[in-house]
Amino acid sequence: MSFPSDLEIARAATPKPLLEIAAQMGLGEHLLEPHGSSLAKIRLEAIEELKDRPKAKYVVVTAITPTPLGEGKTTTTVGLGQAMKHIGKRSVIALRQPSMGPTFGIKGGAAGGGYSQVIPMDLLNLHLTGDFHAVTAAHNLLSAMLDNHLHQGNELGRLWAAVTAWKSPVRCRFKRSIGITWL
């Protein structure tokens, strides 16, 4: 008997409509910022509008022992959310934007696994709403500006450590090669 892959499970699943999920959470449609038909962000206005609700319990799932396939934090988090709903509790899970590791085959996906995963997993692992891409683009712009400044002669005389906080081996070798050793 073969077990279906995570991708096969994700593609076979039928997502519930976003408005139905939002209603289960007590969120009105006006508090959603849709990103296509199966993704949405909750608007910041929800904080003020929902401030009178009772405080919720908060569970943090973390790990410090990385493995080549990831630690299983997302799978555990999704499974806990499913289990809470199964016993009649209202639960919401919050996941961070995944790293690009899954995209390049470096580690497992960041959408969980098996029947404890977030769908659409391919969108979650490939930029989701574009925020991560925007941060990456801003970082690349800053890097290009700094490289240009160095190329043009470093008119400031020295670079601020807060601006040059990269630690990649290539950048460190480059900095050493031009005499920047104080970082």
Side-chain angles (χ1 to χ4, degrees):
M1 178 173 107
S2 67
F3 194 74
S5 71
D6 291 348
L7 185 59
E8 290 169 330
I9 293 169
R11 288 189 174 159
T14 304
K16 289 184 178 180
L18 289 175
L19 294 180
E20 182 181 327
I21 295 169
Q24 288 176 0
M25 296 170 54
L27 295 173
E29 182 178 358
H30 66 287
L31 294 175
L32 297 181
E33 182 181 310
H35 288 264
S37 61
S38 57
L39 298 172
K41 289 183 182 181
I42 299 173
R43 296 181 189 278
L44 287 176
E45 292 82 17
I47 296 171
E48 181 64 27
E49 187 172 319
L50 306 174
K51 70 180 179 186
D52 295 330
R53 285 194 182 176
K55 299 291 182 196
K57 292 182 173 45
Y58 189 78
V59 177
V60 177
V61 177
T62 187
I64 60 170
T65 53
T67 67
L69 298 178
E71 297 90 357
K73 296 184 297 290
T74 305
T75 304
T76 301
T77 301
V78 174
L80 283 170
Q82 291 171 322
M84 295 300 283
K85 184 165 174 56
H86 184 74
I87 64 171
K89 303 290 183 184
R90 202 161 69 167
S91 67
V92 174
I93 63 170
L95 304 173
R96 66 170 175 77
Q97 179 90 13
S99 68
M100 293 304 292
T103 307
F104 298 113
I106 297 170
K107 63 185 246 345
Y115 291 100
S116 290
Q117 63 176 296
V118 178
I119 58 171
M121 71 174 291
D122 46 350
L123 290 179
L124 179 67
N125 286 328
L126 295 171
H127 296 295
L128 195 59
T129 60
D131 292 348
F132 194 76
H133 174 72
V135 171
T136 302
H139 179 270
N140 289 341
L141 175 62
L142 181 60
S143 298
M145 290 170 56
L146 190 57
D147 284 345
N148 185 51
H149 178 76
L150 289 171
H151 179 74
Q152 300 298 329
N154 191 12
E155 191 176 308
L156 295 175
R158 76 179 206 138
L159 301 173
W160 297 101
V163 176
T164 60
W166 325 292
K167 291 296 180 191
S168 77
V170 172
R171 291 277 178 215
C172 289
R173 279 194 303 273
F174 170 72
K175 290 175 198 170
R176 283 194 301 274
S177 76
I178 62 171
I180 301 175
T181 57
W182 55 273
L183 291 176

